[in-house]
Amino acid sequence: MTLDLLVRDLGPADIATIRSLFRAGLMSCVRPEDGVLYDEFEAYVARSLNSDFAADTILECYTKAARSAYLVAEDRSTRKVVGGVGMHPVEVGDPEFAMTLPEVERSKVCEVRRMTVDIHWQRCGIAQLLMEALEDRARVHKYEIMRAVTSSQQQAACRLYDRRGFTRSKLIAHSPELTLVPFTKCISTRPLLVRDCTAQDEEALRALLAAGIMGYVTPEDGQIFKEFGDYTKAALASDFSDIVGNYVKAPRSAYLIAEDPTTGRIVGGVGLHPVEVGDPGYAANLSLEQRSQVCELRRMTVDSMFRRRGVGSQLLQLFEARAIQLGYRSIHLTTASNQTTTPAFYAACGFALEKATNPTVLPHQAIPLHHFVKRLASAL
């Protein structure tokens, strides 16, 4: 179905309609037979309609509030409002999450709120249009990162954020029945600086690596969660205990970081080692001559808020240039198969999946691993 839509700011005449759409949209995700889950959705809707979405406060909370907005989609032919989406500073939209951010970062993050589309007009591109307009508005308000939280029951919303380039963060167990799915997207167009790691970067890098690894699992994953935890502890206690010493100052090695030049925030990093250091088990299957020509890509990590912005690609491009400079002819790396987007990223960057004779040097049996190799341009 084709609609001629106008996206505009919420007005007084829209309030009753958007409140009704919000309630109907959320409650369509559950049924009374869902028991406690249905009750949780009802309670959430009631809280919303009596707080920022109350009839007498919604304009004050969104349209008139600082660095906030509520946009609606109107069908031009009928003048009917068929959807809407709001935006708040993160400290208003999710104060608990805001407290986990450094104070200097909070002003750069906005929270997507109260997204809703008329249940009779879904799958018509309304949500996409609303999100595109909201991203533009967020940039006007000088935000650099958008964050959204939805529930696993709201599959249409999850698919929308995936299509819009948002990255899923670690799931939140709100209750035994309700799991929340956080999403983030960097909308800044500011270029990043890629440079060698220094001692002053190490603490931030260790935190970034730990968050990146553990972001792929939850305690409900059982043995895999334990193995990811063990792997993280081992990394932080070994080569990542002294990044400068083990990478920057080590022979034919390096650790590159991506930094926001305005704030100095470290948003990604990647390490380079000779293959016999990075993966001795894999190196054991190579001749001495081959070992001298293969480097190991290690500890690649990107801040979840900056994913899908080209940070990984930029790091990898400069990693390859450094590897060539150090005399390597190919790259080897290993990644866990449950890091769903990672294997696809390496494949898109020209790496080939290789079945290794010795799949891992770590005592982790529950995690299938992917081994990738790439011949460098200088060797072709």
Side-chain angles (χ1 to χ4, degrees), residues 177-308:
E177 292 77 21
L178 183 61
T179 300
L180 301 180
V181 188
F183 289 84
T184 55
K185 179 178 181 178
C186 180
I187 58 172
S188 170
T189 57
R190 193 167 57 238
L192 296 173
L193 169 67
V194 176
R195 59 172 175 81
D196 287 287
C197 174
T198 68
Q200 288 70 36
D201 306 318
E202 291 200 17
E203 184 177 351
L205 272 174
R206 282 189 278 269
L208 197 61
L209 181 74
I213 296 172
M214 298 309 296
Y216 287 97
V217 290
T218 65
E220 290 73 31
D221 292 321
Q223 179 63 18
I224 291 180
F225 179 82
K226 180 181 182 301
E227 292 190 6
F228 267 59
D230 292 343
Y231 175 81
T232 301
K233 290 176 184 176
L236 298 180
S238 56
D239 56 288
F240 245 53
S241 65
D242 179 6
I243 302 170
V244 171
N246 291 322
Y247 286 91
V248 181
K249 295 181 179 179
R252 300 185 76 204
S253 302
Y255 200 94
L256 304 176
I257 62 166
E259 175 189 343
D260 182 330
T262 302
T263 64
R265 176 175 177 171
I266 307 302
V267 299
V270 61
L272 185 158
H273 267 155
V275 69
E276 61 268 25
V277 176
D279 192 338
Y282 179 82
N285 297 293
L286 304 176
S287 68
L288 287 175
E289 182 180 0
Q290 287 173 325
R291 290 180 204 174
S292 69
Q293 298 174 356
V294 181
C295 67
E296 187 78 10
L297 186 152
R298 305 194 72 193
R299 314 300 190 209
M300 187 165 197
T301 185
V302 174
D303 190 320
S304 62
M305 290 190 179
F306 284 76
R307 290 175 188 163
R308 298 192 180 185

Side-chain angles (χ1 to χ4, degrees), residues 67 136 145 170 184 193 200 231 248 286 332 355 362:
R67 303 183 77 207
D136 288 340
I145 295 169
K170 190 173 181 178
T184 55
L193 169 67
Q200 288 70 36
Y231 175 81
V248 181
L286 304 176
H332 172 261
K355 183 178 180 179
L362 295 173

Side-chain angles (χ1 to χ4, degrees), residues 7-306:
V7 176
R8 57 171 175 79
D9 286 286
L10 177 78
D14 309 316
I15 293 175
T17 300
I18 206 66
R19 280 165 44 87
S20 176
L21 290 182
F22 174 73
R23 176 177 176 79
L26 268 179
M27 298 311 297
S28 70
C29 299
V30 289
R31 301 169 299 173
E33 306 89 85
D34 292 326
V36 174
L37 181 63
Y38 183 87
D39 294 340
E40 287 198 37
F41 267 64
E42 268 206 323
Y44 174 76
V45 169
R47 287 196 303 272
S48 303
L49 295 179
N50 285 292
S51 57
D52 59 290
F53 241 48
D56 58 347
T57 62
I58 188 170
L59 291 177
E60 294 292 334
C61 288
Y62 288 92
T63 308
K64 299 179 182 179
R67 303 183 77 207
S68 302
Y70 198 92
L71 305 179
V72 296
E74 176 188 295
D75 179 8
R76 293 178 190 268
S77 62
T78 63
R79 306 294 299 274
K80 179 182 179 181
V81 170
V82 293
V85 64
M87 173 181 73
H88 271 150
V90 69
E91 59 268 26
V92 176
D94 191 338
E96 186 175 342
F97 173 76
M99 292 302 295
T100 68
L101 300 175
E103 189 171 351
V104 70
E105 298 291 333
R106 292 175 200 164
S107 65
K108 300 171 187 168
V109 184
C110 67
E111 190 85 6
V112 179
R113 307 201 72 196
R114 314 304 188 207
M115 161 71 83
T116 186
V117 173
D118 190 322
I119 58 175
H120 303 294
W121 296 90
Q122 291 177 355
R123 299 190 178 185
C124 295
I126 297 170
Q128 285 274 12
L129 188 64
L130 282 166
M131 281 304 301
E132 183 177 341
L134 192 69
E135 288 179 24
D136 288 340
R137 184 67 64 87
R139 291 187 185 95
V140 169
H141 285 304
K142 308 299 182 185
Y143 290 115
E144 298 181 13
I145 295 169
M146 299 184 77
R147 180 175 183 268
V149 179
T150 189
S151 71
S152 57
Q153 283 73 27
Q154 294 168 274
Q155 286 299 308
C158 291
R159 289 192 296 270
L160 168 70
Y161 294 129
D162 285 335
R163 288 195 300 271
R164 294 297 307 173
F166 282 71
T167 299
R168 297 186 185 217
S169 302
K170 190 173 181 178
L171 300 178
I172 301 170
H174 183 266
S175 72
E177 292 77 21
L178 183 61
T179 300
L180 301 180
V181 188
F183 289 84
T184 55
K185 179 178 181 178
C186 180
I187 58 172
S188 170
T189 57
R190 193 167 57 238
L192 296 173
L193 169 67
V194 176
R195 59 172 175 81
D196 287 287
C197 174
T198 68
Q200 288 70 36
D201 306 318
E202 291 200 17
E203 184 177 351
L205 272 174
R206 282 189 278 269
L208 197 61
L209 181 74
I213 296 172
M214 298 309 296
Y216 287 97
V217 290
T218 65
E220 290 73 31
D221 292 321
Q223 179 63 18
I224 291 180
F225 179 82
K226 180 181 182 301
E227 292 190 6
F228 267 59
D230 292 343
Y231 175 81
T232 301
K233 290 176 184 176
L236 298 180
S238 56
D239 56 288
F240 245 53
S241 65
D242 179 6
I243 302 170
V244 171
N246 291 322
Y247 286 91
V248 181
K249 295 181 179 179
R252 300 185 76 204
S253 302
Y255 200 94
L256 304 176
I257 62 166
E259 175 189 343
D260 182 330
T262 302
T263 64
R265 176 175 177 171
I266 307 302
V267 299
V270 61
L272 185 158
H273 267 155
V275 69
E276 61 268 25
V277 176
D279 192 338
Y282 179 82
N285 297 293
L286 304 176
S287 68
L288 287 175
E289 182 180 0
Q290 287 173 325
R291 290 180 204 174
S292 69
Q293 298 174 356
V294 181
C295 67
E296 187 78 10
L297 186 152
R298 305 194 72 193
R299 314 300 190 209
M300 187 165 197
T301 185
V302 174
D303 190 320
S304 62
M305 290 190 179
F306 284 76

